[in-house]
Amino acid sequence: MTSRQGAASGGQLEDRVDLSAETDSKLLQAQQLVEASTDNLREALALLAALEKRCRVGNDTTSLVKVCEASLQLCKDASDDEALVATLKNLSTRRSQKSKAVSALVHKAITWVLEGDGYSPLDVSTDEQRVIRERLVVTLRDITDGKIFLEAERARLTRALATIKNVAVIPVSLMQFNKNAYFQVLSYFASRDLTILVICL
């Protein structure tokens, strides 16, 4: 483990701790735990949670991103949907969480709910899969809410959620741009018995 300095906001220098070697070692250890038995998932996540904090506090963003992505992947590999949603929420809302880590979490998980076109919901075949898909979409929308660097992802997730719910999505910005067009669109969808979702994009 080595220390270095980098530029922080305001031109000040902040200490950065290089945890790359330890990160590689513990990522392998966590993976081996889950490969041995999915019952070890909690232990593996606890191992990475402690490392995540050290990377975050030590400003080792590269290692932090690796830890966050690996934590989600372990949940996915173990087919533990509850742990996946909980881990996604917990890691994205950590105190002073880095924007790069949040972005990496969203980009990692979004591929599990959206098709390759980037906005269509992933096809599922069972009710259980539909439930977890919707939970993930909602969770990801909550995470991206108010984050300028994830505006595009939030818009894609909103469109996917509208498709899942079979609702008409109308940006509130339309009313600000053209009030008459806004109410015409409302009337159009209402006449077709579609639920209307007015959103801020």
Side-chain angles (χ1 to χ4, degrees):
M1 179 179 69
T2 58
S3 297
R4 60 189 186 279
Q5 289 186 324
S9 59
Q12 298 177 341
L13 293 178
E14 62 178 6
D15 289 331
R16 297 176 183 271
V17 181
D18 184 359
L19 295 166
S20 56
E22 182 180 353
T23 296
D24 290 341
S25 175
K26 289 191 175 178
L27 288 181
L28 178 59
Q29 182 181 350
Q31 182 179 357
Q32 290 173 337
L33 280 170
V34 176
E35 287 178 349
S37 173
T38 54
D39 292 337
N40 296 328
L41 177 61
R42 296 296 186 276
E43 181 181 351
L45 290 176
L47 176 71
L48 295 188
L51 179 60
E52 183 274 336
K53 181 178 180 179
R54 294 188 61 203
C55 292
R56 176 165 36 88
V57 174
N59 296 305
D60 187 348
T61 305
T62 300
S63 295
L64 175 64
V65 167
K66 287 183 178 180
V67 172
C68 289
E69 291 179 333
S71 298
L72 292 186
Q73 190 63 55
L74 288 178
C75 297
K76 187 67 173 177
D77 292 344
S79 299
D80 192 328
D81 296 328
E82 292 295 330
L84 176 60
V85 172
T87 301
L88 182 58
K89 288 180 178 179
N90 291 338
L91 290 176
S92 63
T93 55
R94 290 277 196 251
R95 180 181 179 184
S96 301
Q97 185 59 282
K98 311 295 184 185
S99 59
K100 286 186 178 180
V102 177
S103 181
L105 287 166
V106 170
H107 290 156
K108 180 76 172 178
I110 205 170
T111 61
W112 297 328
V113 292
L114 299 185
E115 295 283 4
D117 60 15
Y119 55 83
S120 299
L122 197 67
D123 283 337
V124 293
S125 56
T126 67
D127 289 340
E128 183 179 1
Q129 290 173 337
R130 291 187 186 92
V131 169
I132 187 59
R133 181 188 61 180
E134 183 174 335
R135 284 188 63 194
L136 272 175
V137 169
V138 171
T139 299
L140 287 167
R141 283 194 72 251
D142 289 343
I143 292 171
T144 57
D145 186 24
K147 295 179 176 60
I148 297 176
F149 58 94
L150 289 171
E151 280 184 341
E153 289 78 2
R154 179 171 172 78
R156 289 158 55 197
L157 289 161
T158 299
R159 179 170 176 176
L161 184 60
T163 301
I164 292 172
K165 295 288 192 180
N166 191 30
V167 299
V169 179
I170 305 175
V172 71
S173 57
L174 176 61
M175 180 173 67
Q176 299 166 346
F177 177 73
N178 189 323
K179 187 173 293 186
N180 288 333
Y182 176 79
F183 287 110
Q184 287 176 5
V185 171
L186 283 179
S187 299
Y188 175 84
F189 286 119
S191 66
R192 282 154 180 76
D193 294 323
L194 283 174
T195 302
I196 298 170
L197 177 63
V198 179
I199 61 168
C200 295
L201 292 179

